[in-house]
C-alpha cells in the first residue's frame, strides 16, 4: 500500500507544479498574449515586469495595465480503459503598475491564478498482487491558488533590469477510491475497500530575475531573462491518508482494517525549482515582427519529500468484537525528479495600421519527467491588439493539446503489477487585457 501512496504523492505534487509554471507564462494578458508571450527580446510594455524586466528601461511615463483569462474546458482521455474525464473552471488575472522616475523606472505586478479540476473513472478493472480481479471507481479533485508578487527596477534608457518575486502556492489534491476485490483467502467472497489520499501543498517561495535586451542591428534584437531558483521561505505541506478494508472470513465473520496517517513533509534543499533561462531572437520590420524564444530548464532533484510520522492501523473482528492496533515505523520517502528541457516558443505580429495589430503564436513543451512519462504539450494562440489615444486593448484565443509522452502506467493497490496507459488532454481559453498610460 505504501508504494501506491507514494506513487499518488508523486503525481499529485508534480502535476500542479508543472501546470502552474506553464500557466504563469500562457495566461498573462498583454500585447504578446496572442503570441504565447514569446517576447523576451521585444517586450517593452507593462507585462515586461514578468517577461523581461529590461523592457521597463524605455518607459517615458507612468502606466497601469490589467488582464484576465478564463479557461473553458479540459478533456482528458485514458485509452487504457476508454474513460474520458472533463473538468471546468480555471481563471487568472493580473494588475501591473509602472512608475517612471528621473533615473529609474519601477514596476509592480500582482498575478493570481486559480483552478478547479475533477477527473473521474468508473468500472476500472485491474488485478491485485494475487492475480485476482479488482474493480473500482475513483474521483480525483484538485483545487489550487497561486499568487505572484513581482517588484521590478530598471535604469532609464539602459538595456537591463531586475525583479524580485514572491510566490504563494496553495494546492489541495484528493483521490477517493471505492470498490471491491477478490483474494486467495476468500476466493468466493469479495473484499470491499474505500481509500482517500489528500495532499496539501502550501509553500511561500522567493526568486530574483535578471533581464537584458540588446540589438545586433536595427532589425535584429535579442534578449534574455535569467531566473534564480525559487527558495522556500515557508512550508506547511502535509498529507492525510485513510484506507478502510472490510474482508469476509466466514458466514458471519468480518475483519475491518483501517489505516490512517496525517503527517507533514519536508522538501530538500528548500527549493521550489532550480530556475531557468529564456533566450530570444527577434526580427522587426516596419509592420511585422517575429520572435523565437528558447526556455531552458535544468534538471531538478529539489522536490524531495520525507514523512514525519508513521501510519497507524487497527483491525477489528466483528464476530469476536476484538480490536488490534499498531503503529508501524515508516521511513519511506519519495523524490520528484525532472530532466533538463528546452521549450520552444514562436511568435509573430502584423500591424495593419496604427490602431490594429494581429498576433499568432506556437509553443512546444516536452515532458519534464525523468522517465519520459506524462505529456508533451503544444500550444496555439491567436489574437488582436487595438490601440486608442491612451488605452491599448488585447484579446487572444488559446488552445493547448497534451500528447502522451509514453511510459505512462498505473499500479495496482499493492504496488506490484502495472499496466500501460495512454493519456492526452485539450484545453481552451480566452485571454484579454488592457493598459492605460497617464
Amino acid at each position: 500500500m505504501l508504494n501506491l501512496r507514494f506513487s499518488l504523492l508523486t503525481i499529485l505534487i508534480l502535476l500542479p507544479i508543472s501546470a502552474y509554471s506553464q500557466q504563469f507564462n500562457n495566461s498573462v494578458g498583454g500585447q504578446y498574449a496572442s503570441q504565447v508571450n514569446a517576447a523576451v527580446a521585444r517586450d517593452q510594455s507593462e507585462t515586461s515586469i514578468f517577461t523581461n524586466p529590461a523592457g521597463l528601461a524605455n518607459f517615458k511615463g507612468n502606466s497601469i495595465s490589467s488582464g484576465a483569462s478564463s479557461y473553458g474546458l479540459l478533456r482528458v482521455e485514458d485509452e487504457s480503459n476508454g474513460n474520458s474525464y472533463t473538468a471546468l473552471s480555471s481563471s487568472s488575472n493580473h494588475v501591473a503598475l509602472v512608475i517612471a522616475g528621473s533615473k529609474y523606472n519601477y514596476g509592480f505586478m500582482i498575478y493570481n491564478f486559480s483552478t478547479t479540476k475533477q477527473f473521474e473513472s468508473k468500472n476500472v478493472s485491474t488485478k491485485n498482487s494475487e492475480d485476482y480481479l479488482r474493480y473500482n471507481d475513483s474521483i480525483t479533485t484538485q483545487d489550487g491558488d497561486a499568487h505572484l508578487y513581482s517588484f521590478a527596477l530598471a535604469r532609464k534608457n539602459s538595456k537591463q533590469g531586475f525583479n524580485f518575486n514572491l510566490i504563494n502556492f496553495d494546492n489541495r489534491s484528493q483521490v477517493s477510491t471505492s470498490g471491491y476485490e477478490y483474494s486467495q483467502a476468500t476466493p468466493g467472497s469479495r473484499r470491499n475497500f474505500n481509500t482517500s489520499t489528500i495532499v496539501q501543498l502550501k509553500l511561500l517561495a522567493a526568486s530574483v530575475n535578471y533581464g537584458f535586451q540588446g540589438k545586433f542591428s536595427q532589425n535584429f534584437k535579442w534578449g534574455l531573462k535569467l531566473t534564480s531558483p525559487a527558495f522556500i521561505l515557508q512550508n506547511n505541506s502535509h498529507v492525510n491518508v485513510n484506507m478502510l478494508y472490510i474482508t469476509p472470513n466466514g458466514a458471519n465473520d468480518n475483519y475491518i482494517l483501517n489505516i490512517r496517517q496525517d503527517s507533514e513533509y519536508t522538501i530538500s534543499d528548500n527549493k521550489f525549482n532550480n530556475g531557468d533561462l529564456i533566450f530570444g531572437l527577434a526580427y522587426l520590420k516596419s509592420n511585422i515582427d517575429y520572435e523565437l524564444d528558447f526556455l531552458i530548464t535544468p534538471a531538478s532533484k529539489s522536490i524531495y519529500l520525507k514523512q514525519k510520522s508513521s501510519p497507524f492501523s487497527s483491525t477489528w473482528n466483528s464476530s469476536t468484537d476484538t480490536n488490534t492496533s499498531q503503529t508501524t515505523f515508516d521511513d519511506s520517502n519519495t523524490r520528484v525528479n525532472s530532466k533538463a528541457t528546452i521549450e520552444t516558443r514562436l511568435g509573430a505580429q502584423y500591424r495593419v495600421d496604427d490602431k490594429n495589430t494581429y498576433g499568432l503564436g506556437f509553443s512546444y513543451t516536452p515532458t519534464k519527467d525523468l522517465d519520459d512519462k506524462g505529456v508533451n504539450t503544444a500550444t496555439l494562440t491567436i489574437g488582436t491588439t487595438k490601440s486608442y489615444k491612451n488605452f491599448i486593448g488585447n484579446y487572444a484565443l488559446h488552445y493547448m493539446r497534451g500528447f502522451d509522452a509514453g511510459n505512462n502506467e498505473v499500479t495496482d493497490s499493492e504496488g506490484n503489477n502495472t499496466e500501460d496507459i495512454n493519456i492526452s488532454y485539450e484545453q481552451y481559453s480566452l485571454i484579454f487585457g488592457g493598459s492605460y498610460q497617464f
Side-chain angles (χ1 to χ4, degrees), residues 397-438:
L397 294 174
H398 176 282
Y399 171 76
M400 181 185 294
R401 174 72 178 178
F403 301 92
D404 188 86
N407 299 323
N408 290 301
E409 58 187 21
V410 292
T411 308
D412 65 23
S413 61
E414 300 182 18
N416 296 316
N417 300 318
T418 60
E419 178 184 354
D420 293 335
I421 61 173
N422 191 350
I423 59 176
S424 63
Y425 69 84
E426 290 180 309
Q427 183 169 283
Y428 310 85
S429 66
L430 172 65
I431 303 173
F432 54 92
S435 62
Y436 179 79
Q437 296 183 352
F438 59 95

